[in-house]
Amino acid sequence: MLTLVPTPIGNLEDISKRAIKALLEAELIFCEDTRVTKKLLQLLSQKENLQFNCTDFRSFHLHNEKQILKNLSKDEFDKNVVYVSDAGMPCVSDPGASLVQFCIENKIDYDVIPGANALLTAFAMSGFENTEFTFYGFLAHKGKERHQKLAQVMQSNILSILYESPHRLLKTLEEIKNIDENRTLFLIKELTKMHQKYYKESAKNIFDILKNENIKGEWVIIVEPTLTKGENLEVSDIENLDLPPKTKAKLIAKITGKNVKEIYQQLLDKI
């Protein structure tokens, strides 16, 4: 069978007994990075006085997973197969989902062991009382996709959670600040590690603080929902506004995706 094993995101003591047992029994370990996994097992061996006997470590990551799956045999899973990402829960902004789907399609038994996860840990630490959230992972580095996703985050009426690297953190915060400087954010870096640090302030205040701080490390950003009042805007609401037909046509086209000229003509026909 396949067992997906979460690994510590910073503190080695967050490894569970079940995770250690799965790693001890593993005969084949798929790894996001074999070097990282071997280092983890070395540290666990020293700390827990254990002997991990698996010698078959295979790379499985975003850039090679399709090729690996193409050549993967069901017979491999007659052994105890484990998958681990570099840190945290597999399949959450990490590879692994395609391996799970392979098991589903080929009727191979699989299991996921609960464990360390930056997303849920940050959510619990944020103090926001919202019970719903949307997880966006990492934003695109640049371009239209990044702009659209950030606009979606800032317009959302439920909590939005992002991961961000130290290289793009200030850029992301500045973009959020420029949209709504008063929006409350919760930020935390280096979760579970020695230099863990968190902030909960307005977008403007956090940006001003972090401009002069050490921002090395991986970050989680939680964005307060936008405040919404009343119901969603309907086409009829716009039609009843005291606005010129051209302006109404543009607004209706924006929310329906229909052609502006056609809508404009329909509005004129109603006059």
Side-chain angles (χ1 to χ4, degrees):
M1 68 176 292
L2 169 70
T3 304
L4 279 74
V5 176
T7 53
I9 56 177
N11 192 322
L12 197 62
E13 293 184 1
D14 288 337
I15 192 81
S16 71
K17 290 181 178 180
R18 283 187 66 198
I20 288 176
K21 185 174 185 289
L23 291 167
L24 284 169
E25 295 176 351
E27 298 167 270
L28 163 60
I29 302 180
F30 284 109
C31 320
E32 186 177 359
D33 186 326
T34 57
R35 296 165 299 180
V36 172
T37 302
K38 288 176 180 178
K39 179 65 174 176
L40 172 65
L41 296 186
Q42 180 187 348
L43 291 171
L44 289 172
S45 295
Q46 295 169 355
K47 183 174 178 59
E48 305 290 340
N49 193 26
L50 298 170
Q51 182 64 46
F52 296 93
N53 296 316
C54 182
T55 57
D56 193 355
F57 296 84
R58 302 186 198 175
S59 177
F60 186 91
H61 51 71
L62 180 65
H63 303 294
N64 73 353
E65 59 182 332
K66 289 183 180 178
Q67 189 61 38
I68 296 291
L69 291 170
K70 183 179 178 182
N71 298 310
L72 191 59
S73 167
K74 285 178 60 177
D75 296 338
E76 291 279 19
F77 295 88
D78 291 339
K79 299 180 279 192
N80 287 325
V81 181
V82 160
Y83 174 73
V84 293
S85 58
D86 287 349
M89 179 64 72
C91 310
V92 181
S93 272
D94 281 318
S98 60
L99 202 54
V100 171
Q101 184 61 27
F102 179 87
C103 289
I104 292 171
E105 291 172 357
N106 290 281
K107 295 180 170 56
I108 297 165
D109 286 339
Y110 71 94
D111 196 10
V112 179
I113 295 175
N117 174 255
L119 162 65
L120 292 178
T121 307
F123 175 65
M125 290 187 70
S126 70
F128 288 117
E129 296 184 8
N130 308 65
T131 56
E132 293 181 288
F133 65 81
T134 301
F135 176 56
Y136 289 90
F138 288 93
L139 293 175
H141 295 181
K142 56 184 179 180
K144 185 178 180 181
E145 182 184 352
R146 178 184 175 86
H147 176 76
Q148 289 178 337
K149 191 70 70 176
L150 191 58
Q152 189 177 339
V153 167
M154 296 304 291
Q155 292 167 13
S156 177
N157 59 5
I158 64 174
L159 281 179
S160 298
I161 305 181
L162 309 169
Y163 286 166
E164 193 54 278
S165 73
H167 312 295
R168 285 179 293 277
L169 179 69
L170 291 179
K171 175 184 177 183
T172 299
L173 289 178
E174 185 171 25
E175 289 173 337
I176 291 173
K177 174 181 72 72
N178 289 343
I179 296 171
D180 183 357
E181 64 178 25
N182 295 314
R183 188 74 61 89
T184 300
L185 308 179
F186 175 82
L187 268 70
I188 186 165
K189 74 164 185 171
E190 297 290 79
L191 259 168
T192 79
K193 299 178 184 176
M194 184 182 298
H195 300 293
Q196 173 179 294
K197 197 165 186 180
Y198 54 87
Y199 309 81
K200 191 173 184 180
E201 294 274 356
S202 69
K204 181 182 185 305
N205 287 349
I206 285 185
F207 178 72
D208 289 341
I209 292 168
L210 294 183
K211 280 191 302 185
N212 303 308
E213 292 275 330
N214 176 3
I215 59 172
K216 289 181 180 178
E218 296 299 315
W219 290 80
V220 182
I221 303 173
I222 303 184
V223 183
E224 179 187 38
T226 184
L227 297 176
T228 56
K229 296 182 180 179
E231 300 177 355
N232 292 333
L233 194 66
E234 301 288 345
V235 170
S236 58
D237 296 324
I238 297 174
E239 288 178 341
N240 293 328
L241 292 173
D242 185 17
L243 293 172
K246 284 188 178 180
T247 304
K248 289 182 184 180
K250 289 178 182 179
L251 289 172
I252 294 171
K254 195 75 172 177
I255 66 172
T256 63
K258 294 180 180 179
N259 183 275
V260 177
K261 290 183 178 179
E262 290 180 7
I263 297 170
Y264 178 64
Q265 188 57 52
Q266 291 170 4
L267 290 172
L268 291 180
D269 292 341
K270 292 180 180 181
I271 296 175

